Amino acid sequence: MRNTVSTSIPRRRLGAAGPEVGVLALGSWHTYDRMDFGDAVAMLRHAVDAGINMFDVAVYGMPGHPPVFTDVLFSAMVRAAGIEREDYLLSAKLWLEGYPEHSMRDQLTNALFRAGVDHADVAVLGDIRSDDLDLRKLAEDLAELEREGLLGCWGVNNWSASTILEIREHALAAGSPGPQLAQLKYSPCRRAIPDGEPFEAVFAAGVSMQASDVLEGGILAGKSGASRQIGRDPGEIRPRIQDAAKGIAELAKELDATPAQLCIAFTLTHASTSTVLFGSTSMEQLTANIAALDVLERVGADRLRSLMEPFWVDRGIVDPEGP
């Protein structure tokens, strides 16, 4: 398999008013908590040198579980790697559980303190799990953080298309450009929502997609997913995805690529994708994932979408409006 990339990492605008980001972004999940510190620093340095400039350092701590320090470690990694603040974009996560008691301001200032920075370039709002969320107040709170320079722009994670458009209207009224990205699950198998008609209106409004969970918790890269924490399964289609993974692996061999490279390359064929979020646990994995750009150039976007069509398993199962 080819693990070298012959093209530089291009950049795309995040939404209509966000910064330019590399089409590949590095997420942390719990990765840095488990890595050797020196290896993690070397991997981060290589990512920046390769052209990756956006890093998602959200903390996914769960009650009753040991605390995680991904964002704290990231701040130490940046210093050890000699990376200047202007050389990367930091993406934080803001949670809606307990809001507005747990304000956006308090959450963000705590995240900035832990990451050792004075502002977040992007904040992604977590899933909506309540029917009584005050979208107007939320938009006004975020607009205030933008005006103060604590927040560059913001987006949402797995929201419905109609809710994104609704909060956008409140944001515009509050003097904010509104959400610049929709972080959505997107892969050759799980694509009904981003490829559906409801989200066409979202993308037409200037919101771009950040493709996430592109390997379905590692399943599409050939891992079982049984021993690792992975995201939820809308539509309960994971068994079908496990079956489709076998065909994707066979196709990858034919194209002299890895399954992970095919999946990452596929997500970049969507016209509204601004950046693809993935995690890496080693330098080897990082360089292989970056080489997905070479696969995309070799195979071509149209041909790749055609070849991946048989593996679309959530068509007609998941509501394209979204959660």
Side-chain angles (χ1 to χ4, degrees):
M1 305 301 173
R2 305 182 189 184
N3 283 348
T4 58
V5 62
S6 58
T7 56
S8 59
I9 294 178
R11 294 189 176 184
R12 298 177 181 174
R13 179 72 59 186
L14 195 65
E20 287 194 346
V21 298
V23 297
L24 302 178
L26 192 61
S28 58
W29 193 240
H30 301 298
T31 300
Y32 305 143
D33 301 69
R34 301 191 301 262
M35 288 184 68
D36 173 83
F37 183 74
D39 291 344
V41 169
M43 187 179 72
L44 185 66
R45 179 73 258 180
H46 182 78
V48 172
D49 291 342
I52 293 176
N53 71 331
M54 187 174 182
F55 298 91
D56 183 317
V57 293
V59 175
Y60 295 82
M62 300 294 291
H65 289 255
V68 293
F69 298 100
T70 294
D71 50 351
V72 178
L73 287 168
F74 178 80
S75 68
M77 290 162 56
V78 167
R79 293 193 300 273
I83 300 170
E84 300 295 332
R85 181 64 181 91
E86 60 268 23
D87 292 334
Y88 72 92
L89 302 171
L90 183 133
S91 178
K93 201 71 166 280
L94 298 177
W95 307 98
L96 299 175
E97 289 86 352
Y99 172 82
E101 291 80 7
H102 299 288
S103 70
M104 293 292 104
R105 179 181 300 277
D106 288 347
Q107 289 189 51
L108 182 59
T109 54
N110 182 55
L112 299 179
F113 173 69
R114 288 172 60 95
V117 297
D118 61 4
H119 73 281
D121 300 283
V122 183
V124 178
L125 308 183
D127 295 13
I128 297 177
R129 304 187 189 278
S130 172
D131 294 331
D132 59 358
L133 178 63
D134 188 337
L135 292 176
R136 182 186 300 275
K137 174 174 172 49
L138 179 58
E140 291 172 349
D141 289 349
L142 292 166
E144 184 63 25
L145 295 174
E146 288 176 307
R147 281 192 290 271
E148 294 181 17
L150 293 174
L151 179 59
C153 67
W154 54 276
V156 299
N157 176 64
N158 294 325
W159 286 25
S160 69
S162 59
T163 307
I164 294 173
L165 293 174
E166 181 180 350
I167 197 172
R168 180 176 180 271
E169 291 302 312
H170 292 310
L172 292 174
S176 165
Q180 296 303 301
L181 72 101
Q183 188 181 88
L184 299 171
K185 291 175 177 287
Y186 193 53
S187 75
C189 301
R190 195 188 294 276
R191 48 185 283 199
I193 292 175
D195 284 358
E197 288 186 12
F199 265 87
E200 287 183 6
V202 173
F203 300 141
V207 179
S208 62
M209 176 168 65
Q210 181 179 61
S212 69
D213 206 9
V214 301
L215 302 180
E216 194 68 25
I219 292 173
L220 295 180
K223 300 175 183 177
S224 69
S227 61
R228 45 191 282 156
Q229 182 181 0
I230 60 178
R232 61 191 181 89
D233 180 21
E236 299 182 351
I237 60 170
R238 199 154 279 151
R240 299 188 185 193
I241 290 177
Q242 289 170 331
D243 289 338
K246 302 169 187 175
I248 292 175
E250 293 174 0
L251 177 62
K253 289 181 180 179
E254 295 175 13
L255 296 175
D256 190 23
T258 68
Q261 288 169 346
L262 280 193
C263 291
I264 293 170
F266 170 81
T267 62
L268 286 168
T269 66
H270 193 292
S272 295
T273 299
S274 59
T275 186
V276 178
L277 183 65
F278 64 85
S280 293
T281 58
S282 68
M283 184 76 79
E284 180 182 12
Q285 186 180 20
L286 175 64
T287 56
N289 287 349
I290 292 174
L293 297 176
D294 186 56
V295 174
L296 179 58
E297 185 177 53
R298 256 191 314 114
V299 179
D302 291 342
R303 182 181 176 218
L304 184 57
R305 289 191 75 85
S306 177
L307 290 171
M308 288 296 200
E309 192 72 14
F311 309 119
W312 184 355
V313 302
D314 73 340
R315 191 203 311 257
I317 298 175
V318 173
D319 182 358
E321 161 71 9

